[in-house]
Amino acid sequence: MKPIYLFLLLLALSSCEEVVTLPSPASDHYIVVEANLTNQNKAQQIILSRSQDYFDQTAAPKLSGAQVSVSDSLGNQFMFTEKVAASGLYSWEPTPQQPSIGKVGTTFTLQVKWQNEIITAKAKMNRVPAIDSVLYQYDEASNRQAADGQPKNGYDAQFYARDILGAGDCYRVKTYRNGVLFNDPINLTLAYDAGFQKGAMTDGLMFILPLRRSISPSLYQENDKIRVEIWSISEDEFNFYSQARLELNNAGLFSRPAANIPTNIKNTNPASKLQGTGWFGVSAVSAFETVVDPKKAKTGLK
């Protein structure tokens, strides 16, 4: 085919493009709860907002002026206050009498009262294993670690921890570099016992290598501060995060049909049609911190 004809054909094809706007149903504007409370001696926060239409690119509207409380099965009550008006951010501060919000084995109940709505949820604080150590070695970056202009050489770290004996423990692993959480969807690291999923027969074992190495999405440099946390979560919360991760990472061919992810948030007002979503979780947390020192680097960790 002569070049002039090929050019005319491509021009004709490109001129056939038409922008199509697909209709989407309006959102029911659910009440969205973001609450991940821990037994750490620091302020605890709950974020309340409203969902919005699928193609709405504005910031989600905050739910302000609510009465927010958490009670536990030991008879304690924790009041959360919105310290900045219209922020939708409710917080509880520890005191000498209540240095933390809970103990392992305790069940907690969330209650949110807003206008005529009464939102509730329950969660239990499960056990968590201690982190024995964080080790690192100097190495070249893998293709995953070298993405987005990250260093080509540096320190590849992994943590060491052993799952507590007794099947069914679930965890979330969080990693911080110099105080900043690795918070992309791909960094959502979940464990069932010491493996990735239920039925993997990893009860009571050392966390498997891919989980241990998940704390190095990119290589660390000398004097970087590494903080690793393991959060205990329920099996329901494990399933919630697993489905959310599929949606956030766009699983393509293996993605589920669009649907609301199951939640433990309920509206207990029988006269209301406004539903709740999000998650209320309580976690025991173990942590380990280290600063990258070339003199302490190891070899042969892989």
Side-chain angles (χ1 to χ4, degrees):
M1 182 180 293
K2 294 183 179 180
I4 184 64
Y5 296 132
L6 179 59
F7 171 76
L8 292 175
L9 176 61
L10 292 174
L11 182 63
L13 290 174
S14 63
S15 65
C16 294
E17 293 180 358
E18 181 179 355
V19 177
V20 177
T21 302
L22 297 176
S24 64
S27 168
D28 292 329
H29 301 294
Y30 288 24
I31 294 177
V32 181
V33 177
E34 301 174 62
N36 294 103
L37 311 183
T38 74
N39 63 346
Q40 296 169 300
N41 182 14
K42 64 179 185 179
Q44 303 295 313
Q45 296 181 336
I46 296 174
I47 301 174
L48 303 178
S49 60
R50 299 288 302 276
S51 65
Q52 55 196 133
D53 295 343
Y54 184 81
F55 290 109
D56 190 341
Q57 299 299 311
T58 62
K62 303 303 181 184
L63 195 150
S64 183
Q67 299 177 33
V68 182
S69 65
V70 173
S71 58
D72 67 19
S73 53
L74 301 177
N76 300 305
Q77 188 170 44
F78 309 89
M79 302 303 300
F80 285 69
T81 58
E82 188 180 25
K83 295 187 177 181
V84 178
S87 66
L89 178 63
Y90 299 80
S91 63
W92 171 85
E93 299 285 345
T95 65
Q97 294 74 30
Q98 290 182 318
S100 67
I101 206 164
K103 299 179 180 180
V104 170
T106 307
T107 299
F108 296 82
T109 301
L110 167 70
Q111 183 179 82
V112 176
K113 294 182 179 180
W114 179 73
Q115 297 182 2
N116 295 323
E117 312 300 334
I118 303 176
I119 301 297
T120 64
K122 286 191 175 184
K124 181 181 178 181
M125 184 177 290
N126 295 327
R127 59 189 184 173
V128 68
I131 301 175
D132 176 75
S133 59
V134 172
L135 303 180
Y136 46 87
Q137 67 180 8
Y138 193 79
D139 207 345
E140 293 183 357
S142 64
N143 291 335
R144 173 182 61 87
Q145 293 170 325
D148 300 326
Q150 297 296 325
K152 304 298 182 184
N153 295 278
Y155 294 90
D156 194 357
Q158 56 182 281
F159 74 94
Y160 289 82
R162 183 177 295 275
D163 172 53
I164 302 171
L165 190 62
D169 293 290
C170 297
Y171 315 105
R172 179 180 177 186
V173 180
K174 290 188 175 186
T175 309
Y176 303 76
R177 176 167 57 194
N178 300 324
V180 179
L181 174 67
F182 286 105
N183 203 31
D184 289 337
I186 198 172
N187 304 133
L188 181 53
T189 302
L190 305 173
Y192 195 106
D193 291 327
F196 279 125
Q197 59 190 5
K198 187 175 183 178
M201 307 297 290
T202 56
D203 175 44
L205 302 181
M206 185 73 69
F207 279 65
I208 62 174
L209 182 60
L211 285 171
R212 302 202 308 265
R213 294 193 63 199
S214 68
I215 68 171
S216 293
S218 63
L219 296 180
Y220 297 94
Q221 302 301 304
E222 182 176 354
N223 295 323
D224 275 352
K225 182 179 179 181
I226 306 172
R227 178 179 174 87
V228 181
E229 296 178 347
I230 301 179
W231 292 41
S232 65
I233 59 177
S234 67
E235 185 170 344
D236 286 340
E237 190 170 0
F238 174 89
N239 294 332
F240 172 84
Y241 279 128
S242 296
Q243 293 185 39
R245 182 173 55 188
L246 285 175
E247 299 291 339
L248 291 169
N249 288 326
N250 187 11
L253 177 63
F254 302 101
S255 61
R256 295 158 46 92
N260 290 329
I261 298 174
T263 177
N264 64 350
I265 308 297
K266 303 184 186 311
N267 191 337
T268 58
N269 180 2
S272 176
K273 295 182 179 180
L274 184 62
Q275 299 185 49
T277 190
W279 196 265
F280 171 64
V282 288
S283 301
V285 179
S286 64
F288 193 98
E289 290 186 356
T290 189
V291 176
V292 175
D293 181 351
K295 296 179 181 179
K296 297 181 180 179
K298 305 295 182 180
T299 57
L301 293 180
K302 295 180 181 178

